[in-house]
Amino acid sequence: MTEQQPRSIRLTDPRALRAYAHPTRMTLVGLLRRSGPFTATRAAELTGESVASCSYHLRILAKYGLVEQAPGGKGREKPWRATAQYTEWPDHSEDAAVAEAADALSGAAIELYFQRVLRAVANRHTLPREWREAERFGDTLFHLTPEELNGLGQRIEELLRPYEERERDPALRPEGAEAVAFLQMAFLDREIPDGTERDGKNTGSSDDTGGTEVDDEGE
């Protein structure tokens, strides 16, 4: 990574959105951002895919500006690097093709996120206690307006922004810092009944849809 690297690349072309929705391509971009530059041979070692498959996917990613070849090497031994630290795409579009492709990409990304979360949970017993106590798994139900939800998201982004420099410059990472995936998801939950229909009582519960929180106290 270099300090001159753009913070994000924004995809708006339906073809680019559909191309990036492939799980291997999203994985490759993520690996390049964290551990790049590296060659197609190294990509194959990291992903379990063949070198030919990784070369193909890297070329597709390069076509849409998500990765580029880095200096040095030749052919399949030429290293690749990510072009930005993050990928963005539209939350809404009046263009039906863009909206459909963007929603498909969001769904593919969420599926990939949850596969990683499941692997993390499966291996959680191997973590030191301080990390188990620091990790967060759970959900909370709020009643918000669109404006309030937007504002909440902006405040969360502001809280996270100071830590981004550590990704660009490892020298800024304090002793004991590890790679932590911080997922943000907030959606209009149509499965929650409207509590106002029952004497105005809130119907939120502590089950899997009404606000759960994992607490490691007492382990």
Side-chain angles (χ1 to χ4, degrees), residues 111-147:
E111 184 174 353
L112 193 63
Y113 292 153
F114 275 104
Q115 288 174 359
R116 290 172 60 187
V117 170
L118 289 172
R119 289 195 295 271
V121 171
N123 294 309
R124 195 164 180 260
H125 66 281
T126 66
L127 297 179
R129 177 170 178 165
E130 60 266 27
W131 278 108
R132 287 175 58 92
E133 292 177 342
E135 287 187 333
R136 322 310 289 169
F137 293 96
D139 69 286
T140 304
L141 178 68
F142 297 112
H143 283 76
L144 305 172
T145 66
E147 294 76 17

PDB file of all heavy atoms in Angstrom, residues 111-147:
ATOM      1  N   GLU A 111     -23.194 -12.236   1.877  1.00  0.00           N
ATOM      2  CA  GLU A 111     -22.982 -13.681   1.977  1.00  0.00           C
ATOM      3  C   GLU A 111     -21.525 -13.990   2.294  1.00  0.00           C
ATOM      4  O   GLU A 111     -21.222 -14.851   3.131  1.00  0.00           O
ATOM      5  CB  GLU A 111     -23.398 -14.364   0.672  1.00  0.00           C
ATOM      6  CG  GLU A 111     -23.302 -15.875   0.723  1.00  0.00           C
ATOM      7  CD  GLU A 111     -23.844 -16.550  -0.515  1.00  0.00           C
ATOM      8  OE1 GLU A 111     -24.430 -15.853  -1.375  1.00  0.00           O
ATOM      9  OE2 GLU A 111     -23.683 -17.781  -0.632  1.00  0.00           O
ATOM     10  N   LEU A 112     -20.611 -13.272   1.648  1.00  0.00           N
ATOM     11  CA  LEU A 112     -19.191 -13.476   1.898  1.00  0.00           C
ATOM     12  C   LEU A 112     -18.824 -13.068   3.321  1.00  0.00           C
ATOM     13  O   LEU A 112     -18.059 -13.747   4.007  1.00  0.00           O
ATOM     14  CB  LEU A 112     -18.364 -12.672   0.890  1.00  0.00           C
ATOM     15  CG  LEU A 112     -16.865 -12.994   0.809  1.00  0.00           C
ATOM     16  CD1 LEU A 112     -16.648 -14.428   0.358  1.00  0.00           C
ATOM     17  CD2 LEU A 112     -16.170 -12.039  -0.149  1.00  0.00           C
ATOM     18  N   TYR A 113     -19.392 -11.938   3.788  1.00  0.00           N
ATOM     19  CA  TYR A 113     -19.157 -11.499   5.163  1.00  0.00           C
ATOM     20  C   TYR A 113     -19.555 -12.583   6.150  1.00  0.00           C
ATOM     21  O   TYR A 113     -18.807 -12.902   7.084  1.00  0.00           O
ATOM     22  CB  TYR A 113     -19.985 -10.242   5.483  1.00  0.00           C
ATOM     23  CG  TYR A 113     -19.587  -8.990   4.766  1.00  0.00           C
ATOM     24  CD1 TYR A 113     -20.532  -7.983   4.529  1.00  0.00           C
ATOM     25  CD2 TYR A 113     -18.283  -8.772   4.311  1.00  0.00           C
ATOM     26  CE1 TYR A 113     -20.198  -6.806   3.879  1.00  0.00           C
ATOM     27  CE2 TYR A 113     -17.946  -7.605   3.654  1.00  0.00           C
ATOM     28  CZ  TYR A 113     -18.904  -6.621   3.441  1.00  0.00           C
ATOM     29  OH  TYR A 113     -18.587  -5.460   2.800  1.00  0.00           O
ATOM     30  N   PHE A 114     -20.747 -13.138   5.975  1.00  0.00           N
ATOM     31  CA  PHE A 114     -21.241 -14.092   6.950  1.00  0.00           C
ATOM     32  C   PHE A 114     -20.480 -15.410   6.903  1.00  0.00           C
ATOM     33  O   PHE A 114     -20.359 -16.097   7.925  1.00  0.00           O
ATOM     34  CB  PHE A 114     -22.747 -14.304   6.779  1.00  0.00           C
ATOM     35  CG  PHE A 114     -23.550 -13.268   7.513  1.00  0.00           C
ATOM     36  CD1 PHE A 114     -24.168 -12.235   6.837  1.00  0.00           C
ATOM     37  CD2 PHE A 114     -23.651 -13.306   8.896  1.00  0.00           C
ATOM     38  CE1 PHE A 114     -24.876 -11.250   7.514  1.00  0.00           C
ATOM     39  CE2 PHE A 114     -24.361 -12.342   9.591  1.00  0.00           C
ATOM     40  CZ  PHE A 114     -24.974 -11.309   8.895  1.00  0.00           C
ATOM     41  N   GLN A 115     -19.954 -15.779   5.764  1.00  0.00           N
ATOM     42  CA  GLN A 115     -19.086 -16.952   5.713  1.00  0.00           C
ATOM     43  C   GLN A 115     -17.846 -16.729   6.568  1.00  0.00           C
ATOM     44  O   GLN A 115     -17.408 -17.621   7.309  1.00  0.00           O
ATOM     45  CB  GLN A 115     -18.687 -17.244   4.262  1.00  0.00           C
ATOM     46  CG  GLN A 115     -19.807 -17.799   3.407  1.00  0.00           C
ATOM     47  CD  GLN A 115     -19.415 -17.944   1.946  1.00  0.00           C
ATOM     48  OE1 GLN A 115     -18.296 -17.600   1.557  1.00  0.00           O
ATOM     49  NE2 GLN A 115     -20.323 -18.440   1.133  1.00  0.00           N
ATOM     50  N   ARG A 116     -17.315 -15.517   6.510  1.00  0.00           N
ATOM     51  CA  ARG A 116     -16.142 -15.187   7.329  1.00  0.00           C
ATOM     52  C   ARG A 116     -16.510 -15.140   8.807  1.00  0.00           C
ATOM     53  O   ARG A 116     -15.737 -15.583   9.660  1.00  0.00           O
ATOM     54  CB  ARG A 116     -15.556 -13.848   6.872  1.00  0.00           C
ATOM     55  CG  ARG A 116     -14.905 -13.909   5.510  1.00  0.00           C
ATOM     56  CD  ARG A 116     -14.501 -12.533   5.011  1.00  0.00           C
ATOM     57  NE  ARG A 116     -13.545 -11.889   5.907  1.00  0.00           N
ATOM     58  CZ  ARG A 116     -13.144 -10.632   5.763  1.00  0.00           C
ATOM     59  NH1 ARG A 116     -13.644  -9.879   4.794  1.00  0.00           N
ATOM     60  NH2 ARG A 116     -12.258 -10.118   6.602  1.00  0.00           N
ATOM     61  N   VAL A 117     -17.683 -14.598   9.116  1.00  0.00           N
ATOM     62  CA  VAL A 117     -18.120 -14.553  10.505  1.00  0.00           C
ATOM     63  C   VAL A 117     -18.275 -15.961  11.066  1.00  0.00           C
ATOM     64  O   VAL A 117     -17.840 -16.252  12.190  1.00  0.00           O
ATOM     65  CB  VAL A 117     -19.450 -13.784  10.632  1.00  0.00           C
ATOM     66  CG1 VAL A 117     -20.029 -13.939  12.033  1.00  0.00           C
ATOM     67  CG2 VAL A 117     -19.256 -12.303  10.318  1.00  0.00           C
ATOM     68  N   LEU A 118     -18.872 -16.865  10.288  1.00  0.00           N
ATOM     69  CA  LEU A 118     -19.057 -18.239  10.756  1.00  0.00           C
ATOM     70  C   LEU A 118     -17.720 -18.919  11.014  1.00  0.00           C
ATOM     71  O   LEU A 118     -17.573 -19.665  11.988  1.00  0.00           O
ATOM     72  CB  LEU A 118     -19.877 -19.031   9.734  1.00  0.00           C
ATOM     73  CG  LEU A 118     -21.361 -18.666   9.642  1.00  0.00           C
ATOM     74  CD1 LEU A 118     -22.014 -19.378   8.460  1.00  0.00           C
ATOM     75  CD2 LEU A 118     -22.082 -19.010  10.930  1.00  0.00           C
ATOM     76  N   ARG A 119     -16.738 -18.658  10.135  1.00  0.00           N
ATOM     77  CA  ARG A 119     -15.415 -19.238  10.360  1.00  0.00           C
ATOM     78  C   ARG A 119     -14.784 -18.657  11.632  1.00  0.00           C
ATOM     79  O   ARG A 119     -14.133 -19.370  12.400  1.00  0.00           O
ATOM     80  CB  ARG A 119     -14.500 -18.991   9.151  1.00  0.00           C
ATOM     81  CG  ARG A 119     -14.880 -19.802   7.915  1.00  0.00           C
ATOM     82  CD  ARG A 119     -13.774 -19.819   6.890  1.00  0.00           C
ATOM     83  NE  ARG A 119     -13.492 -18.505   6.336  1.00  0.00           N
ATOM     84  CZ  ARG A 119     -14.100 -17.987   5.273  1.00  0.00           C
ATOM     85  NH1 ARG A 119     -15.054 -18.677   4.662  1.00  0.00           N
ATOM     86  NH2 ARG A 119     -13.770 -16.796   4.810  1.00  0.00           N
ATOM     87  N   ALA A 120     -14.988 -17.352  11.837  1.00  0.00           N
ATOM     88  CA  ALA A 120     -14.439 -16.714  13.034  1.00  0.00           C
ATOM     89  C   ALA A 120     -15.064 -17.298  14.294  1.00  0.00           C
ATOM     90  O   ALA A 120     -14.374 -17.561  15.298  1.00  0.00           O
ATOM     91  CB  ALA A 120     -14.664 -15.203  12.977  1.00  0.00           C
ATOM     92  N   VAL A 121     -16.380 -17.506  14.269  1.00  0.00           N
ATOM     93  CA  VAL A 121     -17.070 -18.069  15.432  1.00  0.00           C
ATOM     94  C   VAL A 121     -16.613 -19.508  15.693  1.00  0.00           C
ATOM     95  O   VAL A 121     -16.420 -19.921  16.846  1.00  0.00           O
ATOM     96  CB  VAL A 121     -18.598 -18.017  15.234  1.00  0.00           C
ATOM     97  CG1 VAL A 121     -19.316 -18.792  16.336  1.00  0.00           C
ATOM     98  CG2 VAL A 121     -19.078 -16.570  15.216  1.00  0.00           C
ATOM     99  N   ALA A 122     -16.411 -20.261  14.609  1.00  0.00           N
ATOM    100  CA  ALA A 122     -15.977 -21.651  14.758  1.00  0.00           C
ATOM    101  C   ALA A 122     -14.600 -21.752  15.414  1.00  0.00           C
ATOM    102  O   ALA A 122     -14.306 -22.726  16.123  1.00  0.00           O
ATOM    103  CB  ALA A 122     -15.950 -22.336  13.393  1.00  0.00           C
ATOM    104  N   ASN A 123     -13.770 -20.739  15.213  1.00  0.00           N
ATOM    105  CA  ASN A 123     -12.414 -20.752  15.773  1.00  0.00           C
ATOM    106  C   ASN A 123     -12.268 -19.869  17.008  1.00  0.00           C
ATOM    107  O   ASN A 123     -11.171 -19.699  17.535  1.00  0.00           O
ATOM    108  CB  ASN A 123     -11.410 -20.299  14.708  1.00  0.00           C
ATOM    109  CG  ASN A 123     -11.318 -21.288  13.561  1.00  0.00           C
ATOM    110  OD1 ASN A 123     -11.142 -22.478  13.771  1.00  0.00           O
ATOM    111  ND2 ASN A 123     -11.438 -20.797  12.344  1.00  0.00           N
ATOM    112  N   ARG A 124     -13.388 -19.321  17.479  1.00  0.00           N
ATOM    113  CA  ARG A 124     -13.343 -18.350  18.568  1.00  0.00           C
ATOM    114  C   ARG A 124     -12.799 -18.940  19.861  1.00  0.00           C
ATOM    115  O   ARG A 124     -12.182 -18.229  20.668  1.00  0.00           O
ATOM    116  CB  ARG A 124     -14.751 -17.790  18.783  1.00  0.00           C
ATOM    117  CG  ARG A 124     -14.818 -16.528  19.613  1.00  0.00           C
ATOM    118  CD  ARG A 124     -16.169 -15.847  19.456  1.00  0.00           C
ATOM    119  NE  ARG A 124     -16.203 -14.629  20.260  1.00  0.00           N
ATOM    120  CZ  ARG A 124     -16.776 -14.534  21.459  1.00  0.00           C
ATOM    121  NH1 ARG A 124     -17.381 -15.592  21.982  1.00  0.00           N
ATOM    122  NH2 ARG A 124     -16.757 -13.400  22.124  1.00  0.00           N
ATOM    123  N   HIS A 125     -12.976 -20.226  20.053  1.00  0.00           N
ATOM    124  CA  HIS A 125     -12.506 -20.861  21.287  1.00  0.00           C
ATOM    125  C   HIS A 125     -10.988 -20.839  21.408  1.00  0.00           C
ATOM    126  O   HIS A 125     -10.440 -21.055  22.486  1.00  0.00           O
ATOM    127  CB  HIS A 125     -13.015 -22.304  21.351  1.00  0.00           C
ATOM    128  CG  HIS A 125     -12.428 -23.191  20.292  1.00  0.00           C
ATOM    129  ND1 HIS A 125     -12.884 -23.174  18.987  1.00  0.00           N
ATOM    130  CD2 HIS A 125     -11.428 -24.107  20.329  1.00  0.00           C
ATOM    131  CE1 HIS A 125     -12.192 -24.047  18.269  1.00  0.00           C
ATOM    132  NE2 HIS A 125     -11.314 -24.618  19.052  1.00  0.00           N
ATOM    133  N   THR A 126     -10.296 -20.579  20.294  1.00  0.00           N
ATOM    134  CA  THR A 126      -8.835 -20.571  20.328  1.00  0.00           C
ATOM    135  C   THR A 126      -8.270 -19.194  20.703  1.00  0.00           C
ATOM    136  O   THR A 126      -7.060 -19.064  20.893  1.00  0.00           O
ATOM    137  CB  THR A 126      -8.267 -20.970  18.954  1.00  0.00           C
ATOM    138  OG1 THR A 126      -8.601 -19.964  17.974  1.00  0.00           O
ATOM    139  CG2 THR A 126      -8.825 -22.313  18.499  1.00  0.00           C
ATOM    140  N   LEU A 127      -9.125 -18.185  20.800  1.00  0.00           N
ATOM    141  CA  LEU A 127      -8.657 -16.833  21.075  1.00  0.00           C
ATOM    142  C   LEU A 127      -8.350 -16.622  22.552  1.00  0.00           C
ATOM    143  O   LEU A 127      -8.980 -17.226  23.415  1.00  0.00           O
ATOM    144  CB  LEU A 127      -9.719 -15.815  20.653  1.00  0.00           C
ATOM    145  CG  LEU A 127     -10.098 -15.734  19.175  1.00  0.00           C
ATOM    146  CD1 LEU A 127     -11.178 -14.682  18.986  1.00  0.00           C
ATOM    147  CD2 LEU A 127      -8.894 -15.421  18.309  1.00  0.00           C
ATOM    148  N   PRO A 128      -7.412 -15.728  22.846  1.00  0.00           N
ATOM    149  CA  PRO A 128      -7.187 -15.343  24.249  1.00  0.00           C
ATOM    150  C   PRO A 128      -8.451 -14.707  24.812  1.00  0.00           C
ATOM    151  O   PRO A 128      -9.257 -14.137  24.072  1.00  0.00           O
ATOM    152  CB  PRO A 128      -6.049 -14.308  24.153  1.00  0.00           C
ATOM    153  CG  PRO A 128      -5.378 -14.593  22.855  1.00  0.00           C
ATOM    154  CD  PRO A 128      -6.459 -15.073  21.937  1.00  0.00           C
ATOM    155  N   ARG A 129      -8.614 -14.771  26.117  1.00  0.00           N
ATOM    156  CA  ARG A 129      -9.830 -14.265  26.750  1.00  0.00           C
ATOM    157  C   ARG A 129     -10.066 -12.784  26.430  1.00  0.00           C
ATOM    158  O   ARG A 129     -11.204 -12.367  26.226  1.00  0.00           O
ATOM    159  CB  ARG A 129      -9.766 -14.462  28.265  1.00  0.00           C
ATOM    160  CG  ARG A 129     -10.971 -13.886  28.971  1.00  0.00           C
ATOM    161  CD  ARG A 129     -11.047 -14.282  30.417  1.00  0.00           C
ATOM    162  NE  ARG A 129     -12.195 -13.666  31.061  1.00  0.00           N
ATOM    163  CZ  ARG A 129     -12.680 -14.033  32.233  1.00  0.00           C
ATOM    164  NH1 ARG A 129     -12.112 -15.033  32.893  1.00  0.00           N
ATOM    165  NH2 ARG A 129     -13.726 -13.418  32.748  1.00  0.00           N
ATOM    166  N   GLU A 130      -9.000 -11.966  26.409  1.00  0.00           N
ATOM    167  CA  GLU A 130      -9.200 -10.536  26.176  1.00  0.00           C
ATOM    168  C   GLU A 130      -9.819 -10.248  24.810  1.00  0.00           C
ATOM    169  O   GLU A 130     -10.603  -9.308  24.665  1.00  0.00           O
ATOM    170  CB  GLU A 130      -7.880  -9.763  26.333  1.00  0.00           C
ATOM    171  CG  GLU A 130      -6.767 -10.171  25.389  1.00  0.00           C
ATOM    172  CD  GLU A 130      -5.845 -11.211  25.995  1.00  0.00           C
ATOM    173  OE1 GLU A 130      -6.295 -11.977  26.878  1.00  0.00           O
ATOM    174  OE2 GLU A 130      -4.668 -11.254  25.582  1.00  0.00           O
ATOM    175  N   TRP A 131      -9.512 -11.083  23.822  1.00  0.00           N
ATOM    176  CA  TRP A 131     -10.120 -10.891  22.511  1.00  0.00           C
ATOM    177  C   TRP A 131     -11.551 -11.400  22.483  1.00  0.00           C
ATOM    178  O   TRP A 131     -12.426 -10.798  21.854  1.00  0.00           O
ATOM    179  CB  TRP A 131      -9.289 -11.577  21.425  1.00  0.00           C
ATOM    180  CG  TRP A 131      -8.127 -10.742  20.979  1.00  0.00           C
ATOM    181  CD1 TRP A 131      -6.811 -10.939  21.229  1.00  0.00           C
ATOM    182  CD2 TRP A 131      -8.206  -9.534  20.196  1.00  0.00           C
ATOM    183  NE1 TRP A 131      -6.062  -9.940  20.656  1.00  0.00           N
ATOM    184  CE2 TRP A 131      -6.885  -9.072  20.021  1.00  0.00           C
ATOM    185  CE3 TRP A 131      -9.258  -8.815  19.636  1.00  0.00           C
ATOM    186  CZ2 TRP A 131      -6.587  -7.908  19.292  1.00  0.00           C
ATOM    187  CZ3 TRP A 131      -8.967  -7.665  18.916  1.00  0.00           C
ATOM    188  CH2 TRP A 131      -7.649  -7.216  18.754  1.00  0.00           C
ATOM    189  N   ARG A 132     -11.804 -12.494  23.172  1.00  0.00           N
ATOM    190  CA  ARG A 132     -13.184 -13.002  23.239  1.00  0.00           C
ATOM    191  C   ARG A 132     -14.095 -11.990  23.916  1.00  0.00           C
ATOM    192  O   ARG A 132     -15.246 -11.802  23.521  1.00  0.00           O
ATOM    193  CB  ARG A 132     -13.221 -14.332  23.999  1.00  0.00           C
ATOM    194  CG  ARG A 132     -12.651 -15.509  23.215  1.00  0.00           C
ATOM    195  CD  ARG A 132     -12.612 -16.779  24.066  1.00  0.00           C
ATOM    196  NE  ARG A 132     -13.924 -17.136  24.561  1.00  0.00           N
ATOM    197  CZ  ARG A 132     -14.766 -17.957  23.932  1.00  0.00           C
ATOM    198  NH1 ARG A 132     -14.445 -18.471  22.761  1.00  0.00           N
ATOM    199  NH2 ARG A 132     -15.944 -18.244  24.465  1.00  0.00           N
ATOM    200  N   GLU A 133     -13.596 -11.320  24.937  1.00  0.00           N
ATOM    201  CA  GLU A 133     -14.406 -10.333  25.643  1.00  0.00           C
ATOM    202  C   GLU A 133     -14.568  -9.054  24.845  1.00  0.00           C
ATOM    203  O   GLU A 133     -15.543  -8.326  25.023  1.00  0.00           O
ATOM    204  CB  GLU A 133     -13.771 -10.033  27.007  1.00  0.00           C
ATOM    205  CG  GLU A 133     -13.845 -11.207  27.965  1.00  0.00           C
ATOM    206  CD  GLU A 133     -13.159 -10.925  29.289  1.00  0.00           C
ATOM    207  OE1 GLU A 133     -12.342  -9.971  29.344  1.00  0.00           O
ATOM    208  OE2 GLU A 133     -13.418 -11.659  30.263  1.00  0.00           O
ATOM    209  N   ALA A 134     -13.613  -8.765  23.957  1.00  0.00           N
ATOM    210  CA  ALA A 134     -13.671  -7.536  23.167  1.00  0.00           C
ATOM    211  C   ALA A 134     -14.547  -7.677  21.932  1.00  0.00           C
ATOM    212  O   ALA A 134     -15.146  -6.695  21.467  1.00  0.00           O
ATOM    213  CB  ALA A 134     -12.263  -7.112  22.751  1.00  0.00           C
ATOM    214  N   GLU A 135     -14.654  -8.885  21.387  1.00  0.00           N
ATOM    215  CA  GLU A 135     -15.453  -9.082  20.180  1.00  0.00           C
ATOM    216  C   GLU A 135     -16.928  -8.819  20.461  1.00  0.00           C
ATOM    217  O   GLU A 135     -17.410  -8.982  21.573  1.00  0.00           O
ATOM    218  CB  GLU A 135     -15.279 -10.511  19.649  1.00  0.00           C
ATOM    219  CG  GLU A 135     -13.941 -10.763  19.002  1.00  0.00           C
ATOM    220  CD  GLU A 135     -13.874 -12.126  18.342  1.00  0.00           C
ATOM    221  OE1 GLU A 135     -14.603 -13.042  18.797  1.00  0.00           O
ATOM    222  OE2 GLU A 135     -13.117 -12.286  17.392  1.00  0.00           O
ATOM    223  N   ARG A 136     -17.644  -8.387  19.421  1.00  0.00           N
ATOM    224  CA  ARG A 136     -19.064  -8.091  19.558  1.00  0.00           C
ATOM    225  C   ARG A 136     -19.866  -8.960  18.591  1.00  0.00           C
ATOM    226  O   ARG A 136     -19.599  -8.986  17.390  1.00  0.00           O
ATOM    227  CB  ARG A 136     -19.387  -6.618  19.232  1.00  0.00           C
ATOM    228  CG  ARG A 136     -18.377  -5.602  19.689  1.00  0.00           C
ATOM    229  CD  ARG A 136     -17.960  -5.720  21.126  1.00  0.00           C
ATOM    230  NE  ARG A 136     -18.983  -5.331  22.070  1.00  0.00           N
ATOM    231  CZ  ARG A 136     -18.864  -5.581  23.378  1.00  0.00           C
ATOM    232  NH1 ARG A 136     -17.827  -6.226  23.851  1.00  0.00           N
ATOM    233  NH2 ARG A 136     -19.805  -5.163  24.204  1.00  0.00           N
ATOM    234  N   PHE A 137     -20.849  -9.666  19.115  1.00  0.00           N
ATOM    235  CA  PHE A 137     -21.795 -10.423  18.301  1.00  0.00           C
ATOM    236  C   PHE A 137     -23.188 -10.152  18.851  1.00  0.00           C
ATOM    237  O   PHE A 137     -23.453 -10.421  20.021  1.00  0.00           O
ATOM    238  CB  PHE A 137     -21.495 -11.929  18.350  1.00  0.00           C
ATOM    239  CG  PHE A 137     -20.205 -12.325  17.691  1.00  0.00           C
ATOM    240  CD1 PHE A 137     -19.047 -12.493  18.435  1.00  0.00           C
ATOM    241  CD2 PHE A 137     -20.137 -12.525  16.324  1.00  0.00           C
ATOM    242  CE1 PHE A 137     -17.852 -12.850  17.851  1.00  0.00           C
ATOM    243  CE2 PHE A 137     -18.954 -12.888  15.717  1.00  0.00           C
ATOM    244  CZ  PHE A 137     -17.805 -13.048  16.478  1.00  0.00           C
ATOM    245  N   GLY A 138     -24.050  -9.615  18.061  1.00  0.00           N
ATOM    246  CA  GLY A 138     -25.404  -9.338  18.528  1.00  0.00           C
ATOM    247  C   GLY A 138     -26.111  -8.348  17.624  1.00  0.00           C
ATOM    248  O   GLY A 138     -25.565  -7.913  16.611  1.00  0.00           O
ATOM    249  N   ASP A 139     -27.330  -8.002  17.977  1.00  0.00           N
ATOM    250  CA  ASP A 139     -28.083  -7.031  17.196  1.00  0.00           C
ATOM    251  C   ASP A 139     -28.967  -6.226  18.158  1.00  0.00           C
ATOM    252  O   ASP A 139     -29.243  -6.654  19.272  1.00  0.00           O
ATOM    253  CB  ASP A 139     -28.946  -7.705  16.115  1.00  0.00           C
ATOM    254  CG  ASP A 139     -30.101  -8.494  16.719  1.00  0.00           C
ATOM    255  OD1 ASP A 139     -29.833  -9.570  17.279  1.00  0.00           O
ATOM    256  OD2 ASP A 139     -31.249  -8.028  16.637  1.00  0.00           O
ATOM    257  N   THR A 140     -29.364  -5.065  17.708  1.00  0.00           N
ATOM    258  CA  THR A 140     -30.228  -4.196  18.495  1.00  0.00           C
ATOM    259  C   THR A 140     -31.337  -3.657  17.601  1.00  0.00           C
ATOM    260  O   THR A 140     -31.072  -3.304  16.449  1.00  0.00           O
ATOM    261  CB  THR A 140     -29.427  -3.004  19.073  1.00  0.00           C
ATOM    262  OG1 THR A 140     -28.326  -3.516  19.823  1.00  0.00           O
ATOM    263  CG2 THR A 140     -30.300  -2.156  19.988  1.00  0.00           C
ATOM    264  N   LEU A 141     -32.545  -3.607  18.112  1.00  0.00           N
ATOM    265  CA  LEU A 141     -33.674  -3.073  17.353  1.00  0.00           C
ATOM    266  C   LEU A 141     -33.975  -1.649  17.802  1.00  0.00           C
ATOM    267  O   LEU A 141     -34.131  -1.380  18.993  1.00  0.00           O
ATOM    268  CB  LEU A 141     -34.919  -3.946  17.566  1.00  0.00           C
ATOM    269  CG  LEU A 141     -36.190  -3.464  16.852  1.00  0.00           C
ATOM    270  CD1 LEU A 141     -36.029  -3.592  15.342  1.00  0.00           C
ATOM    271  CD2 LEU A 141     -37.396  -4.264  17.340  1.00  0.00           C
ATOM    272  N   PHE A 142     -34.018  -0.714  16.852  1.00  0.00           N
ATOM    273  CA  PHE A 142     -34.391   0.667  17.123  1.00  0.00           C
ATOM    274  C   PHE A 142     -35.565   1.056  16.235  1.00  0.00           C
ATOM    275  O   PHE A 142     -35.768   0.468  15.170  1.00  0.00           O
ATOM    276  CB  PHE A 142     -33.231   1.627  16.797  1.00  0.00           C
ATOM    277  CG  PHE A 142     -32.003   1.419  17.618  1.00  0.00           C
ATOM    278  CD1 PHE A 142     -30.842   0.932  17.036  1.00  0.00           C
ATOM    279  CD2 PHE A 142     -31.987   1.722  18.963  1.00  0.00           C
ATOM    280  CE1 PHE A 142     -29.691   0.751  17.781  1.00  0.00           C
ATOM    281  CE2 PHE A 142     -30.834   1.545  19.734  1.00  0.00           C
ATOM    282  CZ  PHE A 142     -29.682   1.060  19.135  1.00  0.00           C
ATOM    283  N   HIS A 143     -36.323   2.067  16.647  1.00  0.00           N
ATOM    284  CA  HIS A 143     -37.322   2.679  15.782  1.00  0.00           C
ATOM    285  C   HIS A 143     -36.774   4.049  15.380  1.00  0.00           C
ATOM    286  O   HIS A 143     -36.653   4.946  16.210  1.00  0.00           O
ATOM    287  CB  HIS A 143     -38.668   2.811  16.520  1.00  0.00           C
ATOM    288  CG  HIS A 143     -39.412   1.519  16.605  1.00  0.00           C
ATOM    289  ND1 HIS A 143     -39.065   0.514  17.476  1.00  0.00           N
ATOM    290  CD2 HIS A 143     -40.477   1.053  15.902  1.00  0.00           C
ATOM    291  CE1 HIS A 143     -39.882  -0.514  17.327  1.00  0.00           C
ATOM    292  NE2 HIS A 143     -40.745  -0.215  16.377  1.00  0.00           N
ATOM    293  N   LEU A 144     -36.405   4.185  14.115  1.00  0.00           N
ATOM    294  CA  LEU A 144     -35.735   5.380  13.612  1.00  0.00           C
ATOM    295  C   LEU A 144     -36.405   5.904  12.358  1.00  0.00           C
ATOM    296  O   LEU A 144     -37.070   5.158  11.640  1.00  0.00           O
ATOM    297  CB  LEU A 144     -34.267   5.059  13.276  1.00  0.00           C
ATOM    298  CG  LEU A 144     -33.396   4.449  14.373  1.00  0.00           C
ATOM    299  CD1 LEU A 144     -32.063   4.030  13.798  1.00  0.00           C
ATOM    300  CD2 LEU A 144     -33.202   5.445  15.507  1.00  0.00           C
ATOM    301  N   THR A 145     -36.198   7.171  12.078  1.00  0.00           N
ATOM    302  CA  THR A 145     -36.584   7.735  10.787  1.00  0.00           C
ATOM    303  C   THR A 145     -35.411   7.556   9.836  1.00  0.00           C
ATOM    304  O   THR A 145     -34.270   7.317  10.279  1.00  0.00           O
ATOM    305  CB  THR A 145     -36.892   9.233  10.920  1.00  0.00           C
ATOM    306  OG1 THR A 145     -35.677   9.926  11.258  1.00  0.00           O
ATOM    307  CG2 THR A 145     -37.958   9.493  11.986  1.00  0.00           C
ATOM    308  N   PRO A 146     -35.636   7.666   8.523  1.00  0.00           N
ATOM    309  CA  PRO A 146     -34.509   7.587   7.584  1.00  0.00           C
ATOM    310  C   PRO A 146     -33.413   8.603   7.907  1.00  0.00           C
ATOM    311  O   PRO A 146     -32.222   8.292   7.812  1.00  0.00           O
ATOM    312  CB  PRO A 146     -35.160   7.868   6.228  1.00  0.00           C
ATOM    313  CG  PRO A 146     -36.578   7.444   6.390  1.00  0.00           C
ATOM    314  CD  PRO A 146     -36.926   7.790   7.802  1.00  0.00           C
ATOM    315  N   GLU A 147     -33.819   9.802   8.295  1.00  0.00           N
ATOM    316  CA  GLU A 147     -32.838  10.843   8.627  1.00  0.00           C
ATOM    317  C   GLU A 147     -32.005  10.453   9.848  1.00  0.00           C
ATOM    318  O   GLU A 147     -30.786  10.672   9.883  1.00  0.00           O
ATOM    319  CB  GLU A 147     -33.551  12.175   8.877  1.00  0.00           C
ATOM    320  CG  GLU A 147     -34.232  12.782   7.657  1.00  0.00           C
ATOM    321  CD  GLU A 147     -35.543  12.092   7.298  1.00  0.00           C
ATOM    322  OE1 GLU A 147     -36.095  11.363   8.168  1.00  0.00           O
ATOM    323  OE2 GLU A 147     -36.017  12.275   6.155  1.00  0.00           O
TER     324      GLU A 147
END
